[in-house]
Amino acid sequence: MPESEAARPLTAREVKRQRILRAAIEVFASKGYFAARMTDVAKQADVADGTLYLYFDGKEHLLLSVFDDVLDRFIRHLVAEIETMESPREKLRTMVRLHLETLSRDRALAHVLQIETRHTRHFMGLLARGKLGEYLSLLKNIIEEGQQLGCFRRDVSARLATDVVFGAVDELILSWLMADETMDLNRHQDALLTLLFDGLVPCEHHQGAHA
């Protein structure tokens, strides 16, 4: 997701690893995870077939690494942006905006994250134990902070609200990918945030309810 400035120059090994990960994104997006071969990725990355196995155990590990690498960079970028913000509403707005902006710039990456990573329940479980779990925890923390401050309703559990917010963003991106004509993913950002905030902001008849 968004690139943040590196604190130090990448080593030659790190540069090669990044090149392989980018090659994997292009190959998985064009061929599909199941049809793609490690040799296809090696050719795209311009490395020997055996070089891939110096970095990754196999195709599943490679796909998992793509996902975790992207989310790791996104999380670090997001944390840097929101660390000085006091409003949970603005933190949530920033998180959604960055998510949509990132994938709107890279359709191949969006395809891999939204479609190719969902091939088995086993693999989805691996994702949840990795950076996806960290992403969801960060989202949940923002919602819990908003509930504590009274700017988000307390009669809905933070876990459910997290699932709803993530699901809405996820479905919007999936619909964008499935559209016959390329559209601007970001054009729906304000409408989506309005719907989410209208659902999260407390109303008078909710004040007496408990989480």
Side-chain angles (χ1 to χ4, degrees):
M1 292 183 170
E3 296 284 355
S4 56
E5 291 186 2
R8 57 172 177 77
L10 295 178
T11 66
R13 180 178 176 83
E14 288 168 336
V15 169
K16 185 171 289 187
R17 183 179 187 275
Q18 288 299 314
R19 191 165 81 241
I20 293 170
L21 289 174
R22 185 65 223 181
I25 290 170
E26 299 296 337
V27 171
F28 291 153
S30 62
K31 292 179 175 287
Y33 172 76
F34 288 109
R37 301 171 301 166
M38 290 291 274
T39 188
D40 297 324
V41 176
K43 183 177 180 180
Q44 180 74 22
D46 194 25
V47 299
D49 289 5
T51 300
L52 295 186
Y53 294 96
L54 298 176
Y55 295 83
F56 308 101
D57 296 337
K59 193 167 68 168
E60 183 178 83
H61 182 213
L62 178 55
L63 180 57
L64 183 63
S65 297
V66 166
F67 194 93
D68 278 353
D69 179 77
V70 168
L71 274 185
D72 179 66
R73 286 183 285 122
F74 175 82
I75 290 168
R76 286 189 281 111
H77 185 93
L78 173 64
V79 169
E81 282 220 14
I82 69 174
E83 64 181 354
T84 59
M85 295 180 183
E86 295 184 0
S87 167
R89 186 183 177 104
E90 287 309 304
K91 291 178 182 180
L92 183 56
R93 178 182 296 276
T94 299
M95 189 171 196
V96 171
R97 174 180 59 80
L98 288 177
H99 194 143
L100 295 179
E101 286 180 354
T102 296
L103 295 189
S104 70
R105 292 194 298 264
D106 194 338
R107 200 175 183 90
L109 174 61
H111 178 93
V112 172
L113 297 188
Q114 297 295 127
I115 298 174
E116 301 305 328
T117 56
R118 305 183 186 204
H119 55 273
T120 65
R121 180 178 295 180
H122 162 72
F123 192 78
M124 288 300 295
L126 293 177
L127 292 179
R129 292 195 291 273
K131 289 296 176 178
L132 177 59
E134 188 175 337
Y135 174 101
L136 293 174
S137 291
L138 181 55
L139 175 55
K140 183 170 177 282
N141 289 342
I142 292 172
I143 291 172
E144 287 177 334
E145 181 185 10
Q147 290 176 326
Q148 291 167 5
L149 293 175
C151 53
F152 293 159
R153 54 194 291 177
R154 298 188 179 98
D155 61 324
V156 175
S157 74
R159 180 176 184 134
L160 175 59
T162 298
D163 290 342
V164 169
V165 172
F166 180 76
V169 175
D170 187 69
E171 182 60 30
L172 177 59
I173 296 168
L174 187 60
S175 297
W176 170 70
L177 281 172
M178 295 295 101
D180 290 335
E181 296 182 4
T182 301
M183 64 178 184
D184 180 10
L185 177 57
N186 293 308
R187 70 177 180 171
H188 296 299
Q189 182 185 134
D190 289 340
L192 175 62
L193 285 164
T194 297
L195 287 171
L196 291 175
F197 286 144
D198 283 350
L200 284 172
V201 172
C203 301
E204 278 192 14
H205 73 278
H206 291 135
Q207 294 301 314
H210 298 284

